[in-house]
Every structure is written in structure tokens, then in C-alpha cells.
Amino acid sequence: MHRRINITLPDETIELIDRVIKKGYSLEEMLCDSPEERLRDRCRFINEAVEYYIAQKALVNIREQLKEGAIQRAKRDLELVKF
């Protein structure tokens, strides 16, 4: 399922997105792009970018939780090693 949302981005960001998307295209494909195709490509790119960002944030969160847990258990672990 897809839902339409409206977002506002600076012109520079849209130009950057278009440049990144077009790197995979041949010159002929870039010249034939209709506005609808460009919009679809932007939507796909933004969707992938958001999914990637969320996944990276989740990894950072897990790493922080693991680190905090290790720090909290460090004293206990050292005591276990002494036996």
C-alpha cells in the first residue's frame, strides 16, 4: 500500500536527488524522462533513503544499548573472572 504525502524540500536537495538518480541512466534515458517518471524515481529514492536512515538509527540504538549493558555488567563479569 502506498500513501501520498506532501513534503517541502529545498531546491538544492531536489537537484541533488535528481543528480544521484540520473547517475544510473544513459543520456538517452535522461532526455526521455517524463515528469511522471522523474516523480516516481524521486519517490523511490526518498523511500529507500528513509528506510536506510531508519535501519542505521536502529543499529546505532542497539549498539548503544549493548555498550550500556556491558558497562553495567563489567563489575560482575570481573568478579566472575577472579574465581
Side-chain angles (χ1 to χ4, degrees), residues 11-28:
D11 288 337
E12 298 81 19
T13 303
I14 294 171
E15 291 168 7
L16 177 62
I17 290 170
D18 288 343
R19 277 197 314 266
V20 169
I21 290 170
K22 288 181 181 181
K23 282 189 177 188
Y25 289 151
S26 68
L27 180 59
E28 184 178 296

Side-chain angles (χ1 to χ4, degrees), residues 23-82:
K23 282 189 177 188
Y25 289 151
S26 68
L27 180 59
E28 184 178 296
E29 289 172 320
M30 288 191 301
L31 295 175
C32 294
D33 271 357
S34 69
E36 293 83 16
E37 289 175 39
R38 221 177 0 256
L39 178 62
R40 200 170 25 254
D41 290 342
R42 284 178 185 160
C43 290
R44 188 176 307 118
F45 178 84
I46 291 170
N47 182 58
E48 290 174 10
V50 168
E51 288 178 352
Y52 178 81
Y53 178 81
I54 291 170
Q56 292 303 306
K57 293 293 271 185
L59 285 174
V60 167
N61 188 29
I62 289 170
R63 285 185 186 118
E64 288 175 4
Q65 289 177 3
L66 288 171
K67 181 179 177 181
E68 289 172 11
I71 291 169
Q72 290 173 357
R73 291 184 301 276
K75 184 177 179 181
R76 180 204 65 190
D77 293 348
L78 286 173
E79 291 299 321
L80 289 173
V81 172
K82 289 181 183 177

